[in-house]
Amino acid sequence: VEQLLDKIPNQSRNKNYLKPLCGLPLSTYFSAVKLKWLKDNIPRVQQAMKTNSCMFGTVDSWLIWNLTGGTNGGVHVTDVTNASRTMLMNIDTLEWDTHLIKFFEIPRSILPEIKSSSEIYGHMQISALEGIPISGCLGDQQAALVGQQCLQSGHAKATYGTGCFLLYNTGNVNVTSAHGLLTTVAYQFGSDANPVYALEGSVAIAGAALSWLRDNINLFDSFSEIEEITSTVDNCGDVYFVPAFSGLYAPYWNQEARGVICGITDEVKHGHIVLAALEAVCYQVRDILTAMKKDCGIPLTKLKVDGGMTSNKLFLQLQADLVGIDVIRPEMIESTALGAAIAATLAVMDWNFDKADLNVKAKITKPIITEDERDMRYTKWKMAIERSLSWDTSAAESRNLLSP
């Protein structure tokens, strides 16, 4: 990354230099930087590129290529959602961008053909599935957005796992964030359809904070104990936990931040700390939703959620309380799989999905605390954030490679 920053005109070393083209900051997180490293450092890759026997793709490309025959005529394609995370696709034209390819010094011949998210890419060439069309392809989070039926501008979903990913549908408008969010393609249903875009924000540590409390601090033995433990206290006891174990992502982008637990007194119990860990995820989601509102000007009225943490009823109530909007969790929580199935179905049958009612039952959790209490607690969270920032002075010596 440092070498790439040196290539930026006027010696600005601006990580956002390529963002108008691809929607992404210069970061090792995205494919192009990794691909360039392989090209520059791995002799076998260098040789393969010289002999035109190298093919590049994200995991979807590898799967489709193998399923359609591999070395025996496999199809080398990707879709717009996965291509939009490589730093090589132009976010407006949805094609491999000449300037980006030249900047990273990547041979165009190794790149897959970019397709829409819903069309027939090829047919299965293995076992009993031979001849079945492969007709849907979406990135993980984009598939969850579709599966949650967030198909209108202003709709958003959050997926909670080890980390947390929020996608906010911006419609056919490519919104460039001024508040640390990423621009991505949400989906394109058909080669002739207009693409739909989204803003994305990510929380590095969500469920991983609870794993840390279990495995490193030994506050409990199983996640199933969390609701019982937190029921032993009435509130977090004014304890705030910022789980910045390796820095903070959106919207702070501070690599030097480190985890802090603030507000500890001699009356604090393990229930307070576990509850503070749950609340930390909710506050980070509010941070991102606030940034999304600033970028788009449209406040959310509801948040659709999925992922492992949403099985915890207390967590859903905390999330609703601390962001101040309804939180909607479908009973069928495999939103990513549903989104992929929807994309595949649209390619092979005439289905007016925009007006379809999938009748997915959902649990709605409404906020129950007052706005004043919500804002007071969020102010304390921001105080805790301030105490975590720029803590690791050794990390400051190396530049923040993730910051947009």
Side-chain angles (χ1 to χ4, degrees):
V1 170
E2 292 299 307
Q3 293 174 1
L4 290 171
L5 288 172
D6 290 337
K7 293 177 59 176
I8 294 175
N10 303 321
Q11 299 181 332
S12 66
R13 299 179 62 83
N14 179 11
K15 293 184 176 69
N16 289 326
Y17 171 65
L18 301 175
K19 201 170 184 181
L21 292 176
C22 62
L24 306 172
L26 191 60
S27 165
T28 55
Y29 187 71
F30 305 112
S31 308
V33 178
K34 300 171 185 176
L35 181 56
K36 178 168 175 53
W37 185 91
L38 289 169
K39 171 181 172 291
D40 293 345
N41 294 277
I42 305 300
R44 288 183 61 191
V45 174
Q46 296 168 0
Q47 182 61 27
M49 288 184 177
K50 288 179 181 178
T51 59
N52 200 30
S53 59
C54 179
M55 300 169 71
F56 161 78
T58 43
V59 67
D60 59 297
S61 299
W62 184 84
L63 287 170
I64 293 173
W65 183 74
N66 278 284
L67 292 173
T68 56
T71 56
N72 296 314
V75 179
H76 190 211
V77 298
T78 188
D79 93 300
V80 289
T81 65
N82 287 288
S84 72
R85 306 313 295 268
T86 63
M87 291 200 76
L88 295 172
M89 188 190 83
N90 187 295
I91 199 73
D92 293 310
T93 67
L94 308 185
E95 296 177 351
W96 300 123
D97 186 88
T98 300
H99 179 77
L100 294 172
I101 290 172
K102 183 178 179 181
F103 181 84
F104 289 104
E105 301 175 337
I106 302 300
R108 192 186 192 99
S109 61
I110 73 171
L111 302 177
E113 182 182 359
I114 299 175
K115 298 280 192 176
S116 75
S117 308
S118 180
E119 60 181 280
I120 296 177
Y121 312 109
H123 294 79
M124 298 281 282
Q125 298 296 322
I126 57 173
S127 66
L129 297 176
E130 185 172 355
I132 300 295
I134 300 174
S135 54
C137 182
L138 287 162
D140 185 26
Q141 299 308 319
Q142 290 93 334
L145 187 78
V146 173
Q148 287 273 29
Q149 299 180 69
C150 295
L151 304 174
Q152 303 297 323
S153 179
H155 288 186
K157 72 87 194 172
T159 298
Y160 303 84
T162 303
C164 177
F165 296 90
L166 284 86
L167 257 67
Y168 181 106
N169 186 324
T170 61
N172 300 128
V173 180
N174 167 12
V175 176
T176 299
S177 175
H179 300 91
L181 305 177
L182 306 178
T183 303
T184 190
V185 179
Y187 54 85
Q188 183 191 24
F189 289 151
S191 57
D192 295 328
N194 291 323
V196 173
Y197 293 93
L199 286 175
E200 178 179 320
S202 56
V203 174
I205 303 294
L210 297 170
S211 296
W212 180 78
L213 292 178
R214 180 194 63 188
D215 300 335
N216 293 45
I217 311 300
N218 300 319
L219 289 189
F220 52 87
D221 295 321
S222 170
F223 290 140
S224 61
E225 301 173 28
I226 288 176
E227 290 200 48
E228 180 182 352
I229 293 171
T230 53
S231 69
T232 63
V233 296
D234 294 329
N235 51 54
C236 69
D238 208 29
V239 173
Y240 291 82
F241 177 15
V242 181
F245 299 147
S246 55
L248 288 170
Y249 283 17
Y252 304 104
W253 297 104
N254 189 283
Q255 187 182 19
E256 296 79 31
R258 288 297 178 266
V260 297
I261 301 177
C262 302
I264 294 177
T265 69
D266 58 357
E267 296 182 354
V268 168
K269 303 175 182 178
H270 62 319
H272 293 115
I273 295 175
V274 174
L275 186 57
L278 290 174
E279 292 185 350
V281 181
C282 303
Y283 287 125
Q284 291 178 92
V285 167
R286 175 167 173 171
D287 287 338
I288 293 175
L289 292 179
T290 300
M292 289 177 170
K293 179 183 176 182
K294 290 178 180 177
D295 282 328
C296 299
I298 304 173
L300 283 180
T301 57
K302 59 185 178 182
L303 178 66
K304 296 188 175 183
V305 300
D306 54 63
M309 291 186 68
T310 61
S311 61
N312 186 308
K313 295 180 182 179
L314 172 62
F315 173 73
L316 293 178
Q317 188 61 61
L318 289 171
Q319 186 67 91
D321 285 343
L322 296 177
V323 298
I325 58 177
D326 290 356
V327 171
I328 303 174
R329 174 189 180 272
E331 291 185 8
M332 200 289 290
I333 61 173
E334 297 298 337
S335 301
T336 298
L338 178 58
I342 288 170
T345 302
L346 287 169
V348 296
M349 64 179 290
D350 187 13
W351 181 26
N352 191 352
F353 175 60
D354 289 342
K355 297 181 180 179
D357 182 6
L358 298 183
N359 195 28
V360 177
K361 295 182 179 180
K363 171 182 172 57
I364 301 176
T365 304
K366 294 181 174 293
I368 57 177
I369 66 174
T370 66
E371 191 71 29
D372 286 344
E373 180 182 351
R374 182 178 305 116
D375 291 343
M376 179 189 69
R377 291 165 68 176
Y378 188 60
T379 298
K380 282 289 189 73
W381 164 256
K382 300 295 275 189
M383 290 170 60
I385 286 286
E386 286 296 322
R387 285 155 175 78
S388 77
L389 296 177
S390 303
W391 184 271
D392 185 0
T393 55
S394 64
E397 297 174 2
S398 60
R399 299 178 185 273
N400 184 351
L401 304 184
L402 284 176
S403 172

